[in-house]
Every structure is written in C-alpha cells, then in structure tokens.
Amino acid sequence: MTRGTKRPVRWGWLATALGCLVIGFVTFSNASTVSCPDGVDECWPTAQDHLGSGIIAAATIAAVAWCVWRALRPESD
C-alpha cells in the first residue's frame, strides 16, 4: 500500500469547467423559450427547438467533461 499518492488538481481547468457549465445552462435556458407568433395563445416546441436543445446539452456535457478530464489527468512524464 502506497501512502501519500495524491492526484494533482489543476484548479484553472476546474474553474473553466464551471464556466462552461454556467454558459451552457444560460444558453440552454435562453434557447428553451419558445417564441409565439402574434395572436396565438398556445405555443409548442418544434423539432428544431428539441434538436437545438439537444445540441446545446451535448456540447455542454462534452466541454465540461473535457475540462474535468484535463483538471484530473495524471502528470505526464
């Protein structure tokens, strides 16, 4: 058993991951509002709305995962 083996954390990359998460959340929130034409009481999301939300969510997850991987990856020798 080896003691004292600590994985270095790159705090800048974790901060970047948090920033990506915030930007993704704000973008997702803004994109999920459906604009209604004038005079229409009810509006429903279209296929484009669903596709756009999926793309934003996938891009946010990928960016955050990559930043966390960069923050926690082992030191290269």
Side-chain angles (χ1 to χ4, degrees):
M1 183 168 146
T2 306
R3 288 187 178 196
T5 56
K6 291 183 179 178
R7 174 173 283 196
V9 176
R10 293 164 187 86
W11 295 105
W13 280 107
L14 283 180
T16 304
L18 182 61
C20 288
L21 187 63
V22 168
I23 290 170
F25 177 76
V26 169
T27 305
F28 186 82
S29 297
N30 289 339
S32 65
T33 58
V34 179
S35 58
C36 296
D38 291 336
V40 177
D41 292 334
E42 291 187 26
C43 295
W44 301 99
T46 64
Q48 288 177 332
D49 295 327
H50 292 300
L51 180 64
S53 296
I55 290 171
I56 292 168
T60 300
I61 291 169
V64 170
W66 185 74
C67 290
V68 169
W69 175 79
R70 293 279 302 188
L72 300 177
R73 71 181 175 148
E75 292 283 337
S76 58
D77 294 336

